[in-house]
Amino acid sequence: MSAPVGIDELLERVRAGYARVDAREAYEASREGALLVDIRYQALRERDGLIPGALVVERNELEWRLDPLGSHRAAEATGHDLQVVVICNEGYASSLAAASLHALGLRRATDLTGGFQAWRAAGLPVTPA
């Protein structure tokens, strides 16, 4: 049995498996067809607003909604080559979520460094919830 791994080391390991994007890169990717997926919980969305065009999927439903082979997939889950940018509040939970999507074969999944807060700080579009 291997030694336990702390969350900081786990984040480092999973993030080494893909290239994360900053807010401007996420915005440009969405304009080129990438799917932005907001996994923040409802209270944060109500407090801070929404990213226009982002698919809202609660974290506990993410794999079921984005698995292109799944019976509960969202209409946007069109295939394993889909570029997905996962967005949480500050860019931590989204890293683990992106790694989980990689395990499902979504090899172009990534996450937004700094999360929604970085998006908003960059002055990118936000609408009220």
Side-chain angles (χ1 to χ4, degrees):
M1 193 158 118
S2 60
V5 175
I7 188 62
D8 294 330
E9 184 177 341
L10 179 60
L11 280 172
E12 223 176 275
R13 288 181 186 183
V14 300
R15 288 172 175 168
Y18 62 91
R20 301 178 81 202
V21 296
D22 66 23
R24 290 270 170 215
E25 291 168 324
Y27 178 75
E28 289 303 320
S30 72
R31 295 185 65 182
E32 295 171 7
L35 178 63
L36 302 182
V37 180
D38 186 345
I39 63 168
R40 294 175 300 142
Y41 52 89
Q42 185 174 352
L44 289 176
R45 295 190 312 266
E46 289 174 357
R47 182 189 77 189
D48 295 337
L50 301 168
I51 295 172
L55 176 65
V56 174
V57 178
E58 296 279 342
R59 173 62 189 100
N60 64 324
E61 298 178 0
L62 182 68
E63 292 81 0
W64 284 267
R65 303 291 287 147
L66 290 187
D67 179 3
L69 303 176
S71 58
H72 292 84
R73 72 183 173 278
E76 294 86 349
T78 56
H80 287 95
D81 61 340
L82 178 66
Q83 184 179 8
V84 176
V85 179
V86 183
I87 303 166
C88 67
N89 194 49
E90 295 181 343
Y92 296 100
S94 58
S95 295
L96 298 176
S100 182
L101 294 178
H102 276 257
L104 289 175
L106 291 156
R107 66 188 185 285
R108 296 180 66 202
T110 187
D111 76 312
L112 173 57
T113 303
F116 178 86
Q117 297 306 323
W119 177 280
R120 185 171 62 181
L124 294 168
V126 174
T127 59

